[in-house]
Amino acid sequence: MQVRRYGHIHQLTFYAPVLPINVQLFEHELGLVLIDTALERNATDILSYIAELDKPLLAILLTHAHGDHVGGVDTIKAEHPLAELFISRRDARLLSGDRSLEEEEQNKIRGSLPTIRSTPDAVLDIGERLFGLRVLDAAGHTPGSIAYYDEVNRVLFAGDAFQTQGGAAVAGDVRPLFPLPGLATWNRSVAVESAERLVDLSPLLTFVGHGPPLKGTHRLYLALKRAKRKQARKFIR
C-alpha cells in the first residue's frame, strides 16, 4: 500500500497484478469519510490505516458497484458497524447482484460485480449533499456511477469517470497501457456526456480510481477532447 497526503485527504493506492487501485480518506470535522474500498484483500490495510489515524469512520461513499471499488465493504463495515454506507440509487441494485437493465439502458453492463452482504444505509440521488460534498451524475462506466465534489475547495472525487493510469482518459476510452477501465465501461457515449459536465466544474484537484490525481483541468479537457474525437469517428463510420 502506498499513501500520499493532499492536505486533509489521504490517498491509499494498492497494486494488484495488473492495476493500481485508489481509495481516498478525507478528514471531516467529526471523523473520517472513506471513498471506495478497493478489493476485498485490501480491506485489512485500509482498516490498519484508519486505526493509525485514531478517528472514527463516519461513512463509506461508493462511486459505483465494480468489485475493485466495493470489494472491501463487508470487512470494513464489520469493523466499523456505525459507519454509514452510501451508493447511488441505480448502482444499489448492482450491489445487491441485480444486473437487470432499465428500459432505456440498451448496453450490457460490464465488469466485475460481486454481491455484497452489507446493505446501504441510504441511496443517493444526484444533487444531494453530505459531508461537505455534492453528489454528481457520472454515469457511463456503470449506469449509476456518481462523483463527489467539494465545492468549497473545488476537489472532485471522480471514481472511474476518468482514469490517469496509462494516460488521462474518459471512461470507455481504452488506453493500451491500461485498458481495463475502458473495457469495463457500460456506455461510452453517456460517459463522455458525464465527463463534459465534470470538466465544466473546473476542479482544482481531481482524484480518480486508477492513477495519480490531476491538478487543474487541462489534462481533463484533453482527455475529453480525445474521447469526443473517437466518438465522432465512430458515428461517421
Side-chain angles (χ1 to χ4, degrees):
M1 180 179 73
Q2 182 181 67
V3 180
R4 287 194 172 94
R5 289 282 304 272
Y6 302 84
H8 67 293
I9 302 167
H10 309 242
Q11 177 158 283
L12 283 56
T13 302
F14 303 93
Y15 291 92
V18 291
L19 76 163
I21 303 168
N22 300 322
V23 305
Q24 292 87 34
L25 265 171
F26 75 86
E27 298 182 43
H28 187 266
E29 58 185 353
L30 300 177
L32 301 171
V33 176
L34 176 64
I35 298 180
D36 290 333
T37 67
L39 296 166
E40 182 179 6
R41 63 175 175 265
N42 304 132
T44 301
D45 286 333
I46 295 172
L47 288 170
S48 295
Y49 191 75
I50 290 171
E52 287 179 24
L53 295 177
D54 195 27
K55 295 182 178 182
L57 181 64
L58 303 174
I60 302 168
L61 310 184
L62 299 176
T63 61
H64 63 289
H66 280 156
D68 55 329
H69 293 255
V70 308
V73 165
D74 287 337
T75 301
I76 295 170
K77 279 283 285 181
E79 187 74 17
H80 294 273
L82 297 181
E84 295 183 290
L85 178 64
F86 297 88
I87 193 170
S88 72
R89 186 175 300 277
R90 175 63 184 91
D91 268 24
R93 284 173 43 197
L94 300 181
L95 200 67
S96 70
D98 179 2
R99 287 176 172 258
S100 62
L101 296 174
E102 295 186 359
E103 185 175 350
E104 69 276 11
E105 296 172 356
Q106 303 301 318
N107 294 29
K108 177 182 177 182
I109 295 173
R110 302 175 183 275
S112 169
L113 295 169
T115 301
I116 300 302
R117 296 188 304 276
S118 301
T119 302
D121 294 281
V123 292
L124 297 172
D125 294 312
I126 305 307
E128 290 191 54
R129 287 176 167 81
L130 69 170
F131 304 105
L133 304 175
R134 182 158 60 99
V135 179
L136 304 177
D137 182 3
H141 191 59
T142 64
S145 287
I146 53 177
Y148 300 95
Y149 189 50
D150 177 348
E151 296 173 299
V152 173
N153 297 301
R154 290 171 59 191
V155 175
L156 176 65
F157 299 92
D160 282 359
F162 293 93
Q163 69 180 75
T164 59
Q165 185 69 20
V170 173
D173 181 2
V174 178
R175 304 304 296 261
L177 293 177
F178 188 60
L180 294 180
L183 295 173
T185 292
W186 160 68
N187 189 308
R188 296 177 184 182
S189 296
V190 172
V192 169
E193 293 171 4
S194 294
E196 188 157 25
R197 289 193 298 271
L198 297 178
V199 172
D200 282 346
L201 295 170
S202 297
L204 296 177
L205 186 62
T206 299
F207 290 92
V208 298
H210 308 283
L214 290 179
K215 293 182 180 180
T217 58
H218 180 64
R219 290 180 63 194
L220 293 177
Y221 172 73
L222 292 179
L224 176 61
K225 197 172 178 181
R226 170 191 162 97
K228 291 176 82 170
R229 280 200 308 267
K230 293 180 74 171
Q231 187 179 50
R233 287 199 297 267
K234 175 185 174 183
F235 289 139
I236 289 172
R237 292 173 188 171

